[in-house]
Amino acid sequence: MFSAIQPAPPDPILGLTDAFKADPNPKKVNLGVGVYKDENANTPILKSVKEAEKRILESLNTKAYLPISGSPDYGNRVLEMVFGLQPGSSGSERVRSLHCPGGTGALRVGAEFLKEFAPASKAWVSTPTWANHKGVLSAAGLEVGAYAYYNPSTYSLDYSELKDALAQIPRGDIVVLHVCCHNPTGVDPTPAQWDEIVGIAAQKGWVPYLDFAYQGFGGDVEGDRYPVSRFLESGIEFLVASSFSKNFGLYHDRTGALSLVAANQRDAEAAFSHLKKIVRVIYSNPPAHGGFIVEQILGDADLKAKWLEELSQMGDRIREMRQLLVKGLAAAGVERDFSFIEKQKGMFSFSGLSDAQVNYLRDNNGIYMVGGGRMNVAGISRKNVDYLCEAIAHALRKV
Ligand code: LMR
């Protein structure tokens, strides 16, 4: 059987990390996968997370299975964080959350659910979108279409095209929307535009499937959940796949959640029971460690304050690197106006570099970016920014 199999191509994002590790260039720079890095190119464990882990190790006395949906406390923390709701408060009865292995795991569980209960529905993703969206949705058997989102010539949201596209999506279809820090463009709708998008969803009857992987990196934790709160208030049904990978730095602990919002408590319970059935046949129940960390931190006022401070420091460093990059490119003699990079939100800059320029930078300078020109701004530091800007200036002249 195996002898007939041809190797699959490397993953367009995670495959870059392997290529970067194998590159002998001492000046190499990894701007590929979306993980936070500090000034020394390390992805640190947050101090609040270390403290939470210490407490967990001291108090843990079993490694028995978690429930299929994860620990109930974790579900309550997701409710608080993602929806801004307290357990038992009005509106919370419509929401049920499931601890999933990362945001990707959550997206897949939700996609399996949608395929089972809306088998004829098509899923729509933005142009462009996260390189893995199509794969995750189609692996569950959903047909995937694309809606207009970004205008590469203005480096900004093409709002009128987006609105027109969303207004034409048939009732019952599924629309994947990035809640904040759009991946890969870093370009988000304004709050007023979100209000209109929620109105279109309510009027047209499509099902929002919100991808919320970067909460806290756009502005702050509360501000970034604005679209979720508006969808909740509208009374329509929707799903949210969220992640604690980035904002808690829990990348390898695979700590995400799938939440469903139904019309009422009965419907929420019924749908939730089927989500559990789906989980049971894929991975049975979630890994515990990352969830325990989130519970410890969000359940302790001091630790939570410490974590929020660390989260805002990560965001500040990325914003500072955006400024240094724009300044550095001008200083390196680049005439093109790159000031749009400072307006983008989150970890990524959709740089406007072509695939040929991205390949040139990788082959000649050991600078790794995702195809389409997405760079992880968190991979930039005071130490590598000049090298990066000189290399980009050179690539812009040559390619
Ligand atoms: C990214 O877009 O780089 C991250 O979300 C990591 C991933 O899984 O692709």
Side-chain angles (χ1 to χ4, degrees), residues 11 13-14 32-35 104 130 132 183 214 246 348 370 374:
D11 182 79
I13 297 179
L14 298 185
V33 65
V35 296
T104 308
W130 179 48
N132 208 22
N183 181 0
Y214 293 88
K246 326 280 171 172
F348 304 120
V370 176
R374 187 194 87 170

Side-chain angles (χ1 to χ4, degrees), residues 72-99:
D73 190 35
Y74 182 82
N76 289 337
R77 298 302 170 194
V78 171
L79 186 69
E80 244 170 65
M81 172 95 173
V82 171
F83 297 89
L85 287 176
Q86 289 304 313
S89 66
S90 161
S92 67
E93 74 289 349
R94 295 175 52 213
V95 185
R96 293 303 306 260
S97 299
L98 191 79
H99 176 171

